[in-house]
């Protein structure tokens, strides 16, 4: 069925590209289980509970024909979205149920700092690093999700390595306070996505202001996304992100499924390669 007797062109092309494999769907979400690494706040702060499944029925007396579980979880567990209401700077802003769906779909840009983070786990991205990227790839697009590749996803199955905590705190990469302010106030991005357990660097409690990525993004009606995987498979520009948190009423964040759509050029077939190699036939 269609209006005016015409098929919807955009959705049709989109679905065709998905079936042909010209558009690939990548899952950037970390599997969610009781083993998923989670933020460990130092005393006296109180931590959220980890994700846990509680079996209620499993084809037994409580439910002979079915299996179902209760889930127990903090909001900010696993791959999750930080809504503006999460932070003191955005406390009157949207909770996670109020985040407009339109803003959850947008261009993805990937900035790769895995080399620097491998040499220094406390590496922080500066404004100049992003400006250097913009000089090569163009300005950060309107509504972009800025994805920070640090290589940290390789530790996601080992919580100790992932959190990298010692006597002086946690040591994981992030962005500097000035970079956070600049992204929050001066760049038209929708949000910041990271591979680490939170959008701030591990030792960002010592920054001014503390946890500046949270402070300046949430304070400017922008979002955070954590524990992303597979960023290495994304191009620097040209991918599209689809972020799907649960609409928890009054929630400050939610575990989220995050997909990237990436264009794949098909491998040229032999016939096509011959055609491409042949003289133009005009
Ligand atoms: Mn969070």
């Amino acid at each position: 069925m269609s209006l005016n007797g015409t098929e919807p062109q955009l959705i049709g092309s989109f679905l065709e590209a998905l079936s042909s494999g010209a558009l690939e769907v990548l899952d950037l979400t970390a599997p969610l289980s009781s083993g998923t690494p989670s933020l460990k706040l130092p005393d006296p702060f109180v931590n959220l509970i980890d994700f846990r499944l509680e079996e209620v029925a499993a084809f037994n007396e409580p439910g002979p024909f079915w299996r179902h579980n209760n889930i127990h979880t903090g909001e900010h567990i696993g791959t999750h979205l930080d809504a503006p209401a999460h932070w003191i700077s955005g406390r009157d802003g949207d909770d996670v149920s109020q985040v407009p769906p339109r803003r959850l779909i947008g261009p993805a840009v990937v900035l790769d700092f895995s080399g620097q983070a491998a040499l220094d786990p406390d590496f922080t991205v500066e404004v100049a690093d992003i400006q250097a990227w913009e000089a090569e790839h163009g300005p950060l697009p309107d509504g972009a999700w800025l994805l920070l590749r640090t290589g940290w996803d390789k530790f996601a199955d080992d919580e100790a390595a992932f959190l990298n905590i010692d006597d002086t705190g946690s040591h994981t990469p992030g962005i500097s306070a000035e970079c956070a302010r600049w992204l929050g106030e001066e760049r038209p991005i929708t949000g910041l996505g990271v591979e680490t357990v939170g959008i701030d660097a591990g030792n960002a409690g010592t920054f001014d202001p503390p946890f500046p990525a949270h402070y300046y993004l949430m304070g400017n009606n922008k979002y955070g996304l954590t524990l992303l995987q597979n960023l290495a498979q994304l191009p620097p520009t040209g991918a599209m992100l689809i972020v799907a948190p649960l609409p928890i009423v009054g929630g400050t964040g939610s575990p989220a499924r995050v997909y990237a759509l990436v264009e794949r050029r098909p491998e040229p077939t032999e016939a096509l390669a011959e055609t491409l190699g042949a003289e133009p036939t005009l």
Side-chain angles (χ1 to χ4, degrees), residues 39 48 75-78 80-83 86-87 197-199 214 218 224-226 252-254:
L39 186 71
L48 299 176
E75 295 169 326
H76 299 256
I77 296 295
H80 71 270
L81 182 97
D82 290 339
H86 176 40
W87 214 254
V197 77
I199 58 169
H214 285 87
M218 278 61 307
L225 262 186
T226 64
T252 68
S254 164

Side-chain angles (χ1 to χ4, degrees), residues 151-201:
W152 225 253
D153 58 339
K154 69 172 175 282
F155 301 126
D157 292 331
D158 177 350
E159 188 175 68
F162 193 74
L163 302 178
N164 201 25
I165 295 173
D166 66 15
D167 295 345
T168 62
S170 169
H171 301 279
T172 60
I175 64 176
S176 74
E178 173 54 19
C179 186
R181 189 205 59 75
W182 183 76
L183 285 174
E185 295 179 356
E186 298 186 32
R187 280 297 176 270
I189 62 170
T190 285
L192 170 70
V194 299
E195 296 171 335
T196 45
V197 77
I199 58 169
D200 265 296

Side-chain angles (χ1 to χ4, degrees), residues 111-122:
L111 281 66
D112 186 355
F113 299 101
S114 49
Q116 293 93 320
L119 295 173
D120 175 12
D122 290 318

Side-chain angles (χ1 to χ4, degrees), residues 2-208:
S2 56
L3 296 173
N4 309 322
T6 56
E7 290 301 318
Q9 294 290 310
L10 294 174
I11 299 291
S13 315
F14 179 85
L15 293 172
E16 202 173 290
L18 282 174
S19 349
S20 74
L23 265 184
E24 187 182 354
V25 183
L26 288 177
D27 195 346
L28 307 187
T29 319
L32 187 55
S33 74
S34 57
T36 304
S38 60
L39 186 71
K40 302 289 184 280
L41 293 165
D43 281 340
F45 307 118
V46 180
N47 285 295
L48 299 176
I49 60 168
D50 284 332
F51 181 89
R52 180 168 62 86
L53 277 186
E54 176 200 1
E55 183 184 295
V56 172
F59 317 114
N60 49 9
E61 200 178 342
F65 291 99
W66 58 88
R67 172 160 56 200
H68 58 185
N69 307 301
N70 288 320
I71 57 176
H72 299 258
T73 187
E75 295 169 326
H76 299 256
I77 296 295
T79 302
H80 71 270
L81 182 97
D82 290 339
H86 176 40
W87 214 254
I88 190 164
S89 51
R91 60 194 296 166
D92 298 323
D94 285 349
D95 71 39
V96 70
S97 73
Q98 295 166 328
V99 169
R102 172 62 193 89
R103 294 192 68 200
L104 294 173
I105 302 176
V109 296
V110 183
L111 281 66
D112 186 355
F113 299 101
S114 49
Q116 293 93 320
L119 295 173
D120 175 12
D122 290 318
F123 173 77
T124 49
V125 178
E126 299 292 344
V127 173
D129 295 315
I130 299 184
Q131 286 173 331
W133 185 92
E134 286 187 316
E136 187 179 348
H137 298 281
L140 297 173
D142 272 347
W145 286 95
L146 193 168
L147 307 181
L148 222 56
R149 165 114 179 100
T150 55
W152 225 253
D153 58 339
K154 69 172 175 282
F155 301 126
D157 292 331
D158 177 350
E159 188 175 68
F162 193 74
L163 302 178
N164 201 25
I165 295 173
D166 66 15
D167 295 345
T168 62
S170 169
H171 301 279
T172 60
I175 64 176
S176 74
E178 173 54 19
C179 186
R181 189 205 59 75
W182 183 76
L183 285 174
E185 295 179 356
E186 298 186 32
R187 280 297 176 270
I189 62 170
T190 285
L192 170 70
V194 299
E195 296 171 335
T196 45
V197 77
I199 58 169
D200 265 296
N203 63 358
T206 65
F207 295 4
D208 180 22

